[in-house]
Amino acid sequence: MDRMRKKNKKDTKDILNDDDHEGESPSMQQNQHPKESDAPAGETDSLDGGEASPDAKLSPEEISDLQSKLEESQAQADEYLDGWQRARAEFANYKKRIKRERERIYQNAAGDIVKQYLLVIDDLDRALKNRPDAGDGADWAEGIELIYRKTLSILEAEGITPMDAEGKIFDPNKHEAIAQTDSDEHESDQIIEVVQQGYTIGDRVLRPAMVRIAA
């Protein structure tokens, strides 16, 4: 009997406690737990991850150090740019020098071959100076002249051109004087007659012209 009485008292007490809690509102129950905003200021700051404030400013020493590094980087960039420009100019000059050297080698090789055919052109030139003006010989001379002009056009395509020496002042770099004649119609050292035609290849003399000049 005593055990049953004790159990009934305990059950009655538990029911009364449950009734007391049921009368409280949810807001009252929530207020029983501490809010996160009520945490100490130090603990709230620690939750931010320790990031620096956006209002933080660099010190004068830091600004000076950054400026020095910027100037050093700019100077190095200018140095690299200057070196690149020099290398580019040197390479361009190298290409021009190689091109001139190739042209010179080609002209030398072509000149050595063409010189052998200039003698044939000389014969055609002399034949045309004594060409007949009428008859069958005139027709023959026209054919020779056609061959002569065609040969000259082939040479010109290779950069080989005859000199225009007659009437010019004698130039030992371009002309070879074989005779000197008194002439009242010409100045001293003026070319009176071209005995053998001279030729140039590019900007240099392939064969000097043989000429007679005025005394």
Side-chain angles (χ1 to χ4, degrees):
M1 293 292 292
D2 292 336
R3 290 181 177 178
M4 292 179 64
R5 289 176 181 176
K6 289 180 179 181
K7 181 178 181 181
N8 291 335
K9 288 181 180 181
K10 182 178 180 180
D11 293 340
T12 304
K13 185 177 179 179
D14 292 339
I15 292 172
L16 292 176
N17 289 335
D18 292 338
D19 291 339
D20 292 339
H21 285 294
E22 288 177 0
E24 294 177 357
S25 65
S27 61
M28 293 177 63
Q29 295 178 4
Q30 184 177 4
N31 290 336
Q32 293 178 1
H33 302 283
K35 297 181 180 179
E36 292 180 1
S37 59
D38 295 338
E43 295 180 2
T44 304
D45 293 341
S46 63
L47 297 176
D48 294 338
E51 296 181 356
S53 173
D55 296 334
K57 296 182 180 179
L58 297 175
S59 65
E61 292 79 6
E62 291 174 330
I63 295 175
S64 178
D65 182 58
L66 290 175
Q67 187 173 3
S68 298
K69 291 181 178 179
L70 177 61
E71 292 175 354
E72 182 179 354
S73 299
Q74 185 62 47
Q76 191 174 27
D78 293 340
E79 182 180 356
Y80 290 159
L81 177 61
D82 182 67
W84 175 78
Q85 290 176 339
R86 289 177 181 273
R88 184 180 181 184
E90 290 177 359
F91 182 69
N93 293 332
Y94 169 77
K95 289 176 63 177
K96 292 179 181 178
R97 186 169 64 254
I98 292 298
K99 183 180 179 180
R100 289 194 301 266
E101 184 66 17
R102 288 179 177 175
E103 290 177 352
R104 185 185 66 81
I105 293 174
Y106 172 77
Q107 289 177 355
N108 290 339
D112 291 339
I113 296 174
V114 169
K115 282 181 180 180
Q116 302 177 19
Y117 295 93
L118 292 181
L119 299 176
V120 178
I121 296 176
D122 293 338
D123 292 338
L124 295 175
D125 189 21
R126 282 190 290 267
L128 290 173
K129 287 181 180 179
N130 298 318
R131 63 187 297 177
D133 296 329
D136 296 337
D139 295 336
W140 175 84
E142 289 180 2
I144 295 299
E145 184 177 4
L146 180 61
I147 296 172
Y148 174 75
R149 294 187 180 280
K150 186 175 182 179
T151 305
L152 289 180
S153 66
I154 294 174
L155 294 179
E156 289 178 0
E158 298 297 329
I160 301 169
T161 56
M163 292 182 184
D164 183 16
E166 189 169 352
K168 301 295 181 14
I169 300 299
F170 176 77
D171 184 352
N173 296 319
K174 298 179 179 180
H175 312 132
E176 182 179 345
I178 60 174
Q180 191 172 18
T181 306
D182 293 333
S183 176
D184 297 333
E185 299 178 357
H186 299 84
E187 299 178 6
S188 177
D189 290 338
Q190 186 177 6
I191 297 174
I192 299 174
E193 180 187 5
V194 177
V195 178
Q196 185 182 71
Q197 185 64 268
Y199 292 88
T200 59
I201 179 169
D203 56 353
R204 69 185 186 88
V205 175
L206 177 61
R207 188 182 76 176
M210 292 185 180
V211 298
R212 287 195 308 111
I213 62 176

